[in-house]
Amino acid sequence: MSSMRVSQLTPIEIRIQRLPNGGGLPLPGYASDGAAGMDVVAAESLTIRPGTRHAVATGFAMAIPAGYEVQVRPRSGLALKHGITCLNTPGTIDSDYRGEVKVILANLGDEPFEIRRGDRIAQLVPAPVQRASFAEVEMLDQTARGAGGFGSTGVASDRGNSEEEPIDDSIPDNVGSLSEVKMRRSGE
């Protein structure tokens, strides 16, 4: 890969429209020269209770150039410190969408989380889109992996066909399983 600095790359131009609820808020922007994502802030104040989610308004709409998308990604600090993440991650904003950008935030933590207007809530990452077409065939070519999926690679061969899940000692005690989270809608 080239040693070219991110700031030296030619940026794409994304037209942005500030909506009435976005008055006085900063537009999405990079926090540092090496940042991959542009910080986006909330255009509303609310509290997300544990186990609930909300589509948080941002106060802007965009016209993304054809051939690109903008991905919506969580902020690592919110995820680690408070259990706040984006659902449908990375979310995709298509080039033909012209409505208000909203960020679907979920509270996977144990405490209600307050979002104030102007708080940084997510990151936006522009990305090129590769279109594809499908060619239906009778059979697929064979590979060493074959049809193994969902954790089939990197598994020790001496485990055999055990149905019992191994215990992962590398997971801290204060980290819960997503399978234990019951999602509720805001207002429930």
Side-chain angles (χ1 to χ4, degrees):
M1 183 161 160
S2 169
S3 62
M4 185 182 296
R5 290 173 35 101
V6 172
S7 61
Q8 295 173 331
L9 297 175
T10 304
I12 63 169
E13 182 179 275
I14 299 174
R15 291 177 290 143
I16 192 164
Q17 176 188 14
R18 188 184 306 270
L19 301 174
N21 62 332
L25 294 174
L27 294 176
Y30 297 103
S32 70
D33 285 343
M38 294 178 274
D39 289 336
V40 61
V41 302
E44 61 180 313
S45 296
L46 64 130
T47 300
I48 303 177
R49 292 177 302 142
T52 64
R53 60 195 175 275
H54 184 81
V56 181
T58 63
F60 66 86
M62 298 185 293
I64 302 164
Y68 290 88
E69 66 167 327
V70 171
Q71 298 176 357
V72 182
R73 299 183 185 178
R75 291 181 43 82
S76 59
L78 290 179
L80 177 63
K81 295 174 187 174
H82 306 285
I84 303 299
T85 192
C86 296
L87 293 182
N88 193 36
T89 299
T92 292
I93 305 169
D94 296 308
S95 64
D96 58 351
Y97 176 68
R98 295 295 184 268
E100 181 175 13
V101 172
K102 293 191 175 186
V103 176
I104 306 170
L105 291 183
N107 184 348
L108 303 179
D110 297 327
E111 301 293 325
F113 185 75
E114 181 181 342
I115 297 172
R116 292 179 310 263
R117 178 179 160 82
D119 283 352
R120 293 179 296 166
I121 57 169
Q123 301 177 75
L124 302 180
V125 178
V129 171
Q130 175 66 55
R131 300 289 302 239
S133 62
F134 287 98
E136 188 173 354
V137 296
E138 292 294 321
M139 291 183 69
L140 299 175
D141 58 314
Q142 297 297 310
T143 66
R145 180 177 180 176
F150 298 104
S152 65
T153 61
V155 176
S157 60
D158 62 347
R159 275 189 51 209
N161 290 333
S162 172
E163 295 294 323
E164 186 176 334
E165 286 291 321
I167 296 173
D168 188 346
D169 292 331
S170 67
I171 299 173
D173 291 336
N174 65 343
V175 175
S177 168
L178 287 177
S179 65
E180 298 169 0
V181 175
K182 179 181 180 223
M183 296 304 292
R184 296 181 304 265
R185 294 187 175 140
S186 293
E188 286 186 333

